[in-house]
């Protein structure tokens, strides 16, 4: 029998606010355990939450950027469960009236070709939980509440995703939108973007969904891809063997490349949701939403299309650069400095991405002045340094964030542009290589190339080869 895969994603993203959602503790990642906490986010009795307005703004911005309707009257609900990472024993979230609904993101249709919409069921605001640390001590588990109360958006898709490739593209597009909107840094390795992956399979052509399983908190594109493919395959084999898929939460073990059952899936009623009595409902005005709409930044798809049209760059080049907002920012600055979109794109896709790979660095951890790449390209295009030197300077920029012009000076890399100086060096080479000169004059072409080589070496590659050839020809007649 042939099967199709059905997948829906619940993506959690930590918002780039300075402070937490209901208190003024910092949201900064890391720090000594339990130092970013106060009475409110550690759930002390008698304290009251106050909504951080920035969270509201970021939620509306994200909703507008993903084609959602904004719920003008929305409110917070308590999701009750007991677990040591949640000191209040409930999470403040939104169930009944989430702030955004009925949006979509467009992706490539991996089954039928063309484009398709992955619908967004809703986006809601909620608080993150703390973190349990199991591995450091053998006889106990520790808890770190620094992350407790960090604002999250949960973005819930409809089950419109039909393959692992589509899921990855959806999350990539979503991440790009979130980054361009400035609402999250989306550092997946720090958990600021993570996905719960729901997977089911059904007979090809059927309109009735199969039973789904859920794998929580997957935080890399590779893991999302593998988890979906392996889980779909597991379900198919189970069904083919006469078994039945049970609705459950499974843990994806990325190192092993397999998942195992964790617990049976809880339903909404298990959480005994009810409206949070500590927070007033949120009533938005048209004026507020419109002001956010009018200040929405240019979104990635629109910007991509504009760069392809304005700069004459290929769709492939542009997608490579748009794989991270960090590359896009560097690209834009480099174009400003050099006026050459082609050179800027080529250096980013060539030298920069090569170094990123070699050093296994993520784009957001690039660590050099944004102006440096443009300055190097200008030095090269202005014949101030050779291509070889340009690569060396870039390596130093990449590794030590040196200032290109200073580095060029300190390392004596400037091209010799003074014809007289080049001539003097060549004349010395000629007087030291009389034998080759005689051979050349006797008709041996190879000796000319030898003399060019010697001259270039004496000039330490710092004169344009064409110029050296011209001068040597002139002298030898
Ligand atoms: P719950 O409230 O139990 O988490 P939801 O109906 O909100 O369930 O769905 C959660 C996620 O599961 C959504 O992203 C949705 O698209 C996805 N989903 C629902 N049904 C299926 C299915 N049959 N197969 C795959 N994913 C599904
Ligand atoms: Mg859910
Ligand atoms: Zn706090």
């Amino acid at each position: 029998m042939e099967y199709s895969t059905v997948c829906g994603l619940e993506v959690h993203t930590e918002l780039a606010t300075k402070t937490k959602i209901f208190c003024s503790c910092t949201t900064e990642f890391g720090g000594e355990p339990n130092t970013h906490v106060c009475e409110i986010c550690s759930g002390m009795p008698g304290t009251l939450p106050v909504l951080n307005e920035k969270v509201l703004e970021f939620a509306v911005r994200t909703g507008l950027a993903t084609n959602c309707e904004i719920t003008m009257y929305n409110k917070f609900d308590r999701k009750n469960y007991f677990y040591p990472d949640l000191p209040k024993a409930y999470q403040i979230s939104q169930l009944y009236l989430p702030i955004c609904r009925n949006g979509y993101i467009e992706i490539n249709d991996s089954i039928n070709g063309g484009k398709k919409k992955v619908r967004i069921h809703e986006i809601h605001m909620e608080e993150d939980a703390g973190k349990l640390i199991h591995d450091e001590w053998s006889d106990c588990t520790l808890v770190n509440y620094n992350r407790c109360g960090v604002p999250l958006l949960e973005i819930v898709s409809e089950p419109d995703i039909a393959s692992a490739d589509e899921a990855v593209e959806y999350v990539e597009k979503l991440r790009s939108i979130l980054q361009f909107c400035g609402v999250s840094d989306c550092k997946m390795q720090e958990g600021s973007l993570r996905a719960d992956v729901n997977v089911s399979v059904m007979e090809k052509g059927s309109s009735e969904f199969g039973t789904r399983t859920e794998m929580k908190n997957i935080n890399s594109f590779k893991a999302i891809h593998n988890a979906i493919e392996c889980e779909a395959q597991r379900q198919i084999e189970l069904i083919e063997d006469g078994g039945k898929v049970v609705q459950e939460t499974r843990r994806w073990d990325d190192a092993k490349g397999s998942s195992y059952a964790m617990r049976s899936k809880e339903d909404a009623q298990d959480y005994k949701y009810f409206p949070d009595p500590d927070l007033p409902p949120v009533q938005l005005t048209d004026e507020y939403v419109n002001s956010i709409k009018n200040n929405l930044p240019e979104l990635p798809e629109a910007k991509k299309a504009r760069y392809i049209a304005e700069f004459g760059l290929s769709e492939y080049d542009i997608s490579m650069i748009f794989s991270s907002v960090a590359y896009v920012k560097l690209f834009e600055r480099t174009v400003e400095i050099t006026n050459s979109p082609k050179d800027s794109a080529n250096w980013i896709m060539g030298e920069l991405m090569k170094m990123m790979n070699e050093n296994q660095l993520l784009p957001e951890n690039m660590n050099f002045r944004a102006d440096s790449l443009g300055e190097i390209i200008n030095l090269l295009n202005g014949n101030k340094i050779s291509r070889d030197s340009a690569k060396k300077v870039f390596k130093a920029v990449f590794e030590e964030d040196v200032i290109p012009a200073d580095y060029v000076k300190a390392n004596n890399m400037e091209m010799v542009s003074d014809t007289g100086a080049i001539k003097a060096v060549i004349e010395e080479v000629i007087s030291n290589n009389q034998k080759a000169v005689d051979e050349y004059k006797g008709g041996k072409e190879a000796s000319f190339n030898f003399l060019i080589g010697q001259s270039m070496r004496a000039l330490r590659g710092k004169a344009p080869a064409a110029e050296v050839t011209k001068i040597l020809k002139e002298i030898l007649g």
Side-chain angles (χ1 to χ4, degrees), residues 105-134:
I105 288 179
E106 207 170 56
I107 62 166
N108 291 305
D109 188 324
S110 70
I111 310 287
N112 306 307
K115 301 271 180 196
K116 71 185 265 187
K117 284 176 181 169
V118 174
R119 290 168 300 155
I120 291 172
H121 180 266
E122 66 171 82
I123 300 176
H124 59 257
M125 304 176 278
E126 61 185 26
E127 56 181 336
D128 210 347
K131 211 175 168 134
L132 297 182
I133 299 140
H134 300 291

Side-chain angles (χ1 to χ4, degrees), residues 68 145 213 228 262 267 278 284 321 348 362 392 415 433:
C68 286
Y145 287 141
T213 61
I228 293 170
M262 229 165 64
D267 275 322
D278 288 343
L284 302 175
I321 291 167
I348 290 173
L362 293 166
K392 281 183 192 138
M415 292 279 245
N433 292 282

Side-chain angles (χ1 to χ4, degrees), residues 55-116:
V55 175
L56 206 56
E57 184 190 324
F58 283 1
V60 172
R61 205 187 284 172
T62 304
L64 293 172
T66 52
N67 313 294
C68 286
E69 294 158 12
I70 306 300
T71 315
M72 301 303 272
Y73 179 83
N74 64 86
K75 57 196 178 78
F76 288 94
D77 306 294
R78 287 188 184 179
K79 179 179 183 179
N80 298 281
Y81 64 96
F82 179 78
Y83 204 61
D85 64 3
L86 190 71
K88 297 195 296 293
Y90 60 84
Q91 178 193 29
I92 304 179
S93 179
Q94 296 192 299
L95 178 74
Y96 300 107
L97 291 171
I99 187 158
C100 312
R101 287 187 286 212
N102 299 328
Y104 66 86
I105 288 179
E106 207 170 56
I107 62 166
N108 291 305
D109 188 324
S110 70
I111 310 287
N112 306 307
K115 301 271 180 196
K116 71 185 265 187

Side-chain angles (χ1 to χ4, degrees), residues 9-13 62 65-66 105-107 120 123 154-157 167-181 183 186 193-194 221 300:
L9 298 182
E10 296 159 279
V11 173
H12 286 93
T13 183
T62 304
T66 52
I105 288 179
E106 207 170 56
I107 62 166
I120 291 172
I123 300 176
E154 179 173 339
I155 302 152
V156 184
S157 87
V168 168
E169 192 188 341
Y170 168 78
V171 180
E172 279 174 351
K173 289 254 155 77
L174 181 58
R175 181 178 68 156
S176 198
I177 291 170
L178 294 166
Q179 289 180 333
F180 273 70
C181 284
V183 304
C186 296
L193 187 78
R194 44 193 205 259
F221 289 115

